Amino acid sequence: MRGRLHWGLLALAALLCAAFALVAMIVWRHSPRRGLPYRDSFAAGRADEWRAFGGDWELIHGMMRNDSDERGAKLLAGSRYWRNYSVEADVYLLGDSGDAGLIIRSSDEEQGVNAYSGYYAGLRTGDNSLVLGRADHGWMETSRQVPVANGIRPFHWYHLKLLAYDCQIVAAMSAPGDAFHNSVSIDDTNCIRSGRIGLRSYSAGGIWRNVIVRTASRQDLLAMLKGTPVLSELTVPDPLQLESLNNPDTSEEQVNGLPGGTVRTIRSLRLRFLARPAVVTIRGVVVLTTPRLYVQDATGGVYVQNPPGQPLKLGDEVEVSGEAHSGEFSPMLKHATVRVLWERTPMPPLSVTAAEASTGKYDATFIEMRGVLNGWEHGPGNTLMLDLQDGPQSFRAVLNPGRSDSLLSRLKPDSVVRVRGICVVDPVLTGNLTPFVLLLRSNEDLNVISGPPWWSARHVFAIGVFVFLLSIGTFALYHRLENWRLLAIMSERARLAHEMHDTLAQSFAGIGFQLQAIRNRVPDGMPVISQQLQFASELVRHSHEEARRSLATLHSEELQSEDVLVALDQCARRMIEGSAVQVITLREGEVRGIPLRIADPLYRIGQEAIANAIRHANPATLTLRLSFRKNSVSLDIEDDGAGFVMGDGLHGFGIRGMRRRAQSISAVFNIRSRSGGGTQIRVDTPLPPRFGFAALPGFLWKITMEHRTNVRARANSRIYSR
Amino acid sequence: MVPPDRCFGSTKIAYFVVTAISSLWVVACSAPRRTVIAVIPQTDGTMLWQPAHVGAETAVRGSGLSIYWNAPAREDDVEAQIDLVERAIDRRVAGLVLVPDQALSLISPVRRSLAHGIQVVIIGSPLPIPAGNNLSYILNDDVAAGHMAAQRLDVLLHGRGTVAVLGIDPDFMGIMIRERSFEEYLAQHDPGIHVVDREMGSFNFPQQQQIAQTTLRSHRDLGAIVALMSPSVDGALAALASMHVRQSVKVIGFDVSGWPLFDRNLNLDCVIQENTRLMGQKAVEIIEAARQHRPVPTQVILPPVMITRRSSDAAEVRWMFSQDWTLGRSKWSAQQ
């Protein structure tokens, strides 16, 4: 009972530890400071923790860029349990008809313009103002707008900071190098208490860098409310980058001006300039900006080589003038100038099969197709190259470095995926390994339609291992139950032996004493009665001895360990108590443990053999030998007694029982005897192999066969008993 | 040996724990869920459909219902709108209010919603599905809108002149209806006014601006422009401003996505606006009535409102353009 209490306390302690660990983990996960302070790893080319909801987010030159002018495209990161903190970043607008900024305390996000709960502060070009408001699957803006003195200009860097403390939200912005400072704050009574950070743009693309999140205190809030400048502490923009970004070729006049010159369709360029390149003008929509610029119209697509370093967005309607070179499948424009006509919604992809794409008909065209993912590798410039298969056609999809690494956790070989990208048959990219490659624009161009089938080699192997382990577990349990059963039987035998000893054996002794007392009082003149009493006393003594032997066979306390030989020796010595029989025990081979399910039958067989020898053979020597071999053990019980003629009355000496027990453990049972030459009984039984995975299947097979044999033996014994 | 009372104590504790967990589970599972009505307009983030959000929130106020509001990022992103409808079906919403982005593509998703027993109200522009069987329409009276534009044009041009119609979009049945009714009315009542140009519309403002510029160059004596959709209105006004065209060329616009700025756009004569706020409100009321097994109308036609320079500050117009969908739930004070 004390042991049970001990185990109970241990279990309780383990439970408490587990509960404590669980609570600690929950507290840690819910901590408003977990992961703070945070600084982006854009410069290192990592953005795995960011999740996109719409837009076209890519890491380019160590900055996060959204090339899409989708309304309300957002990219989120951080913990939803962050409460009082500030987020700041450098923000750069890629268009003149929208806004870009930061989100704070965001949760419940979905794809959609205002499909999140949180606060947003942005720089808006339309009314040149700093806007602040709350989104709750709908947008509510502060009624007070903050006009920025010098206006909000696209293609310029601004520093934006957003702070949330309790229910006060403050936004402030400034331009690097400018002294002016603008801020706006709201005191929202029923405020959103916690949430993630995010980058967001509306109807204009944007670029973000140096995203920093810190815990905020009341002092920080007051400092912002007082108008402390929020110039970036860290940002010293790369002059070259700024130069290229701040001086786009698209001026206001260019955007609004009407295009001129003869405009050709892209298809018309394909064969016309085979012999001699010529300068042409085409109009189309930008379908890819990095690593190459592709423009597409209703008739096809064209690769614009070495375009000027101006910011272009997907969906921009452009006029491109350049030297047309006809390729085998699509034209190419060299030395091109690009003029943005207007922004428009990105072009939808054409849905084709790999077989169709492999004809080259869709070269330089934005297409969509399905395929089975065979694998992936990193290509030149740390690009992610996905190997795909659609029917007999293999092809590759190429993703720019940066956010592509975050895809890998979602991808599994043999998944069915849908990819959208620009079909390119250029051998420079295909390496002539596949008929074409797809240049994907961002992670969002790859969707996993379905995971790998369950019958993959890995899964089948896992299922096989599981079934194998389950079988082992089942067999282990079975044997443990068998052991328990045997122990219960032995325990019951012992109890019966004690009972019989206390009742039957004591009664025999009592009867013997009584008969002896009567016999002592019989007068000498009654020889017949005296002789009958003598006979009765002998009979009682004999019965008492038989009972004692039976009790000895029932008693199994000797078989507490696997040492069958010791137990049999003790048993034999008890049986021959008072006689001159010599008992010799021999042990041969490398001793190893014998499972109880084998040891018990062996012991019973040995016991029976010893009893038979003592009762019937009148031996001078009794030899007990236990021989261990690699995978078997044999027990020999040999006497030098009277012996018997083989074939006569074999069943009468309990041999049938011994044989049945031998069968139950798949043992070979042999008996050799001749009249006057003693008897040898031998039981040779296999032992379970020493533990090793290689031997397990054989062992399981043997156990199964053994089990079948036992069943048959039981059935046979039932037939015999009838 | 463990005393019996201690055994009983641990059993009691076990019973207590099991009972507590079961009770929590039962309470959590039986907690009443808020019934949700999904409102999916053409797009979000523009001022045209934001009043519908206000109307919907007004209708559910105090009813225990809640509004799920989401929309595609673009007016022409039909795929995204279909996806939102499918998600609404999966969420087992009590009702669906939809402003279809396209007349044909939304037929199947709407039919699927109806098959799931969801009460659907189509607002704005109709679908080619007959009303009834859980489907209702709340539509703008586009015939009346076309007539209003024609009547206004008659006043502006005094019965003689030329007009260009911009923003024709077959994706929206309502736009086609108003265009036809406009021309039929002119043909019948003002034979002296000729439609000299008809241009397709899109949700691309710069493209619409370019189309308007081309139209203005092609027709130097143009008397007026009728722009049937919001980007066409903005495009026409921007083209007129950039080309410094005389103020006599008037623009009659439809369904602008913000407060009509007559002061900044002198060419803008009037705006014929559908009452999206009332549409959102009535749509949710219909769903609520259907839930309570009250009779619901299969079709409601709401008259459009003509907003002129003079009436732009009227209370009715202010009510129509209200943006505060939180209805005071978000109480904040702003400071600069």
Side-chain angles (χ1 to χ4, degrees):
Chain A
M1 208 49 81
R2 186 171 290 175
R4 273 190 199 171
L5 189 62
H6 175 72
W7 281 111
L9 284 173
L10 272 179
L12 188 64
L15 200 67
L16 283 174
C17 283
F20 179 75
L22 187 70
V23 169
M25 196 179 75
I26 291 171
V27 168
W28 177 74
R29 279 187 63 84
H30 287 62
S31 166
R33 291 171 178 269
R34 184 168 66 93
L36 289 178
Y38 168 84
R39 183 176 178 177
D40 72 65
S41 306
F42 297 162
R46 288 196 306 273
D48 296 350
E49 69 274 31
W50 294 84
R51 188 177 170 202
F53 292 86
D56 186 54
W57 301 88
E58 274 305 308
L59 271 176
I60 298 173
H61 304 309
M63 296 174 280
M64 184 56 74
R65 178 174 178 140
N66 175 27
D67 267 341
S68 156
D69 57 1
E70 180 181 319
R71 292 192 197 119
K74 51 191 177 285
L75 187 72
L76 294 143
S79 163
R80 57 179 288 219
Y81 301 106
W82 284 352
R83 290 170 67 86
N84 295 326
Y85 65 96
S86 67
V87 54
E88 58 188 296
D90 296 332
V91 183
Y92 183 93
L93 269 92
L94 286 174
D96 59 356
S97 58
D99 57 63
L102 301 169
I103 296 174
I104 201 166
R105 287 185 180 172
S106 170
S107 59
D108 197 18
E109 302 94 353
E110 287 179 61
Q111 194 153 340
V113 182
N114 296 308
Y116 66 103
S117 294
Y119 298 94
Y120 168 74
L123 309 170
R124 190 157 63 197
T125 53
D127 53 5
N128 291 312
S129 60
L130 168 67
V131 293
L132 176 63
R134 170 176 171 166
D136 225 341
H137 289 256
W139 174 245
M140 194 64 198
E141 195 170 299
T142 51
S143 55
R144 183 172 299 190
Q145 292 180 342
V146 184
V148 176
N150 293 341
I152 302 290
R153 290 174 290 169
F155 313 112
H156 280 73
W157 284 107
Y158 295 92
H159 190 74
L160 182 62
K161 183 173 181 179
L162 186 56
L163 183 145
Y165 186 83
D166 288 342
C167 282
Q168 279 197 292
I169 319 294
V170 195
M173 56 81 58
S174 60
D178 286 355
F180 65 84
H181 166 79
N182 295 282
S183 69
V184 62
S185 71
I186 52 173
D187 191 354
D188 189 8
T189 312
N190 302 316
C191 62
I192 298 163
R193 296 279 175 180
S194 63
R196 285 175 274 269
I197 59 159
L199 318 178
R200 181 177 181 269
S201 67
Y202 179 94
S203 286
I207 303 175
W208 290 257
R209 65 182 181 191
N210 298 322
V211 180
I212 298 169
V213 187
R214 297 190 185 92
T215 50
S217 62
R218 181 163 290 282
Q219 284 71 29
D220 297 326
L221 172 76
L222 294 173
M224 271 191 81
L225 289 173
K226 280 178 189 169
T228 307
V230 292
L231 282 171
S232 170
E233 303 163 8
L234 324 139
T235 315
V236 181
D238 179 354
L240 289 177
Q241 286 177 1
L242 267 183
E243 190 67 26
S244 65
L245 291 168
N246 285 340
N247 295 294
D249 289 349
T250 50
S251 64
E252 189 87 9
E253 292 71 31
Q254 279 176 321
V255 171
N256 291 330
L258 286 169
T262 306
V263 176
R264 298 175 186 276
T265 61
I266 292 175
R267 182 184 288 272
S268 71
L269 309 182
R270 187 170 162 188
L271 297 175
R272 186 167 295 183
F273 305 103
L274 268 177
R276 192 165 52 89
V279 174
V280 296
T281 301
I282 57 109
R283 246 187 245 172
V285 178
V286 174
V287 288
L288 186 72
T289 53
T290 52
R292 290 175 163 192
L293 175 63
Y294 279 88
V295 174
Q296 185 177 333
D297 70 4
T299 64
V302 63
Y303 167 35
V304 182
Q305 201 179 42
N306 303 322
Q310 67 183 93
L312 292 169
K313 296 198 300 294
L314 299 178
D316 281 350
E317 182 108 16
V318 292
E319 188 178 88
V320 187
S321 298
E323 198 176 273
H325 294 256
S326 293
E328 289 180 15
F329 294 100
S330 67
M332 178 170 62
L333 292 177
K334 290 184 177 176
H335 315 298
T337 58
V338 181
R339 194 159 68 107
V340 178
L341 300 176
W342 54 71
E343 296 165 350
R344 55 173 284 182
T345 52
M347 186 173 270
L350 290 170
S351 191
V352 301
T353 63
E356 290 170 322
S358 62
T359 62
K361 186 180 168 188
Y362 295 96
D363 185 28
T365 308
F366 185 36
I367 61 171
E368 174 185 82
M369 62 173 58
R370 290 163 67 118
V372 176
L373 182 65
N374 289 336
W376 56 81
E377 60 183 343
H378 285 284
N382 206 28
T383 52
L384 182 64
M385 305 184 80
L386 308 173
D387 292 319
L388 297 150
Q389 181 99 26
D390 181 19
Q393 293 292 346
S394 299
F395 61 100
R396 281 184 153 182
V398 183
L399 262 166
N400 292 328
R403 287 182 63 227
S404 60
D405 284 349
S406 62
L407 263 182
L408 294 180
S409 59
R410 288 194 285 128
L411 292 179
K412 289 177 185 164
D414 295 328
S415 298
V416 178
V417 297
R418 182 171 54 214
V419 283
R420 287 178 292 272
I422 312 304
C423 176
V424 180
V425 299
D426 187 350
V428 173
L429 292 174
T430 63
N432 288 327
L433 295 172
T434 55
F436 65 94
V437 296
L438 282 184
L439 299 178
L440 273 54
R441 302 169 306 171
S442 68
N443 284 10
E444 283 65 44
D445 279 338
L446 186 143
N447 303 107
V448 178
I449 296 171
S450 61
W454 69 267
W455 59 85
S456 66
R458 194 173 159 190
H459 283 183
V460 169
F461 177 75
I463 290 168
V465 168
F466 175 74
V467 169
F468 181 62
L469 292 175
L470 190 68
S471 309
I472 290 174
T474 308
F475 275 108
L477 185 66
Y478 169 75
H479 283 284
R480 176 53 59 95
L481 290 173
E482 275 290 293
N483 275 356
W484 285 342
R485 192 176 67 84
L486 285 171
L487 286 172
I489 289 170
M490 286 192 283
S491 166
E492 184 61 16
R493 280 177 186 159
R495 193 186 66 79
L496 281 173
H498 281 298
E499 287 286 323
M500 286 168 72
H501 178 266
D502 292 348
T503 55
L504 191 63
Q506 296 300 332
S507 299
F508 276 127
I511 292 167
F513 281 129
Q514 290 300 322
L515 285 172
Q516 189 61 39
I518 293 168
R519 194 176 147 202
N520 290 341
R521 290 187 183 181
V522 171
D524 292 338
M526 300 175 74
V528 177
I529 291 172
S530 183
Q531 193 178 354
Q532 283 174 339
L533 282 172
Q534 173 68 25
F535 181 70
S537 292
E538 281 296 319
L539 199 62
V540 166
R541 191 184 58 78
H542 181 72
S543 299
H544 191 187
E545 212 166 281
E546 282 294 312
R548 200 160 53 82
R549 283 204 192 97
S550 298
L551 288 176
T553 59
L554 280 173
H555 230 287
S556 60
E557 281 174 1
E558 297 85 348
L559 202 64
Q560 291 299 316
S561 71
E562 293 89 357
D563 198 343
V564 177
L565 193 61
V566 173
L568 284 174
D569 181 54
Q570 289 173 355
C571 175
R573 289 185 192 285
R574 202 162 39 241
M575 284 187 193
I576 61 166
E577 201 172 350
S579 71
V581 181
Q582 187 186 1
V583 177
I584 301 167
T585 55
L586 298 169
R587 198 190 311 267
E588 295 171 357
E590 187 188 348
V591 179
R592 53 182 289 201
I594 303 172
L596 189 59
R597 67 179 181 83
I598 295 172
D600 185 59
L602 274 184
Y603 176 74
R604 295 294 159 196
I605 292 168
Q607 205 176 34
E608 184 67 32
I610 292 165
N612 284 342
I614 292 168
R615 278 179 197 153
H616 307 292
N618 195 22
T621 309
L622 186 63
T623 307
L624 314 177
R625 184 184 293 113
L626 195 64
S627 308
F628 289 94
R629 283 180 291 280
K630 187 181 176 187
N631 287 322
S632 64
V633 61
S634 63
L635 174 69
D636 292 281
I637 309 292
E638 196 175 344
D639 68 66
D640 56 356
F644 58 93
V645 179
M646 293 289 287
D648 289 345
L650 278 179
H651 297 301
F653 296 107
I655 291 171
R656 191 173 60 190
M658 286 192 278
R659 201 180 289 280
R660 185 167 60 80
R661 286 186 196 276
Q663 277 176 350
S664 73
I665 53 173
S666 305
V668 178
F669 179 81
N670 276 316
I671 182 164
R672 280 192 310 177
S673 184
R674 60 188 172 85
S675 185
T679 305
Q680 185 190 20
I681 289 174
R682 178 166 208 172
V683 187
D684 197 349
T685 181
L687 283 175
R690 292 171 197 278
F691 185 76
F693 281 107
L696 271 175
F699 168 65
L700 290 175
W701 175 253
K702 197 174 282 181
I703 293 289
T704 311
M705 290 296 104
E706 191 178 296
H707 179 73
R708 287 179 63 186
T709 311
N710 289 351
V711 172
R712 276 190 204 141
R714 275 178 207 148
N716 289 340
S717 77
R718 271 189 224 113
I719 292 165
Y720 284 134
S721 61
R722 279 174 200 161
Chain B
M1 178 139 180
V2 180
D5 57 343
R6 196 185 291 178
C7 284
F8 183 66
S10 58
T11 312
K12 249 188 351 187
I13 290 168
Y15 276 130
F16 173 75
V17 170
V18 169
T19 311
I21 292 169
S22 310
S23 308
L24 280 172
W25 184 72
V26 167
V27 167
C29 291
S30 60
R33 287 184 184 174
R34 294 200 74 181
T35 309
V36 176
I37 295 174
V39 184
I40 303 172
Q42 279 176 352
T43 188
D44 192 12
T46 67
M47 301 300 179
L48 177 60
W49 290 106
Q50 194 68 8
H53 195 184
V54 180
E57 290 284 354
T58 307
V60 298
R61 211 172 183 185
S63 68
L65 295 165
S66 66
I67 296 293
Y68 168 75
W69 171 270
N70 202 354
R74 303 190 312 265
E75 292 89 341
D76 53 359
D77 194 350
V78 183
E79 202 177 323
Q81 194 175 46
I82 291 170
D83 187 45
L84 283 171
V85 174
E86 296 290 347
R87 274 156 56 189
I89 295 169
D90 292 344
R91 288 176 64 162
R92 298 179 182 178
V93 295
L96 170 67
V97 181
L98 178 70
V99 189
D101 274 349
Q102 218 270 346
L104 300 177
S105 306
L106 269 299
I107 291 175
S108 299
V110 166
R111 284 201 181 278
R112 250 195 311 282
S113 308
L114 294 170
H116 280 80
I118 297 171
Q119 180 76 31
V120 180
V121 182
I122 304 292
I123 64 175
S125 188
L127 291 180
I129 308 176
N133 295 326
N134 284 352
L135 176 65
S136 299
Y137 287 99
I138 299 179
L139 304 174
N140 184 49
D141 191 347
D142 287 303
V143 175
H147 290 176
M148 286 164 90
Q151 287 162 0
R152 184 70 180 177
L153 197 62
D154 181 42
V155 173
L156 289 173
L157 301 182
H158 307 293
R160 294 185 67 84
T162 55
V163 61
V165 181
L166 309 183
I168 301 169
D169 193 340
D171 283 349
F172 299 95
M173 287 175 72
I175 289 179
M176 300 310 290
I177 291 169
R178 73 178 65 144
E179 201 279 331
R180 271 197 294 274
S181 87
F182 169 73
E183 291 209 32
E184 282 169 6
Y185 189 94
L186 279 186
Q188 202 171 348
H189 297 93
D190 295 296
I193 299 175
H194 302 285
V195 178
V196 294
D197 202 354
R198 296 174 187 84
E199 294 292 341
M200 298 294 280
S202 74
F203 290 96
N204 189 332
F205 161 68
Q207 192 184 31
Q208 291 299 301
Q209 181 184 348
Q210 193 205 339
I211 288 171
Q213 286 171 337
T214 309
T215 302
L216 286 166
R217 282 204 186 92
S218 305
H219 306 283
R220 299 281 177 185
D221 59 341
L222 199 65
I225 292 173
V226 173
L228 297 172
M229 59 197 297
S230 180
S232 306
V233 179
D234 295 338
L237 293 172
L240 287 163
S242 66
M243 296 171 72
H244 307 292
V245 176
R246 62 191 189 285
Q247 289 180 16
S248 60
V249 180
K250 293 296 182 187
V251 174
I252 298 173
F254 282 84
D255 298 340
V256 292
S257 63
W259 199 279
L261 300 171
F262 290 101
D263 293 340
R264 288 192 197 172
N265 301 293
L266 298 176
N267 294 87
L268 181 63
D269 176 73
C270 69
V271 169
I272 300 167
Q273 190 81 2
E274 54 187 320
N275 195 339
T276 55
R277 176 171 178 172
L278 194 57
M279 284 178 180
Q281 186 173 333
K282 286 206 170 291
V284 173
E285 285 171 359
I286 284 176
I287 290 169
E288 176 64 358
R291 289 185 69 240
Q292 294 170 359
H293 307 292
R294 287 188 276 127
V296 294
T298 54
Q299 184 163 304
V300 177
I301 306 290
L302 296 178
V305 176
M306 180 182 279
I307 305 167
T308 62
R309 198 174 300 270
R310 193 173 295 169
S311 68
S312 66
D313 209 28
E316 183 192 16
V317 177
R318 287 190 172 280
W319 183 86
M320 268 178 60
F321 282 97
S322 170
Q323 303 292 316
D324 185 6
W325 56 272
T326 64
L327 305 174
R329 284 205 300 273
S330 285
K331 291 176 182 171
W332 61 29
S333 54
Q335 53 193 4
Q336 187 179 343

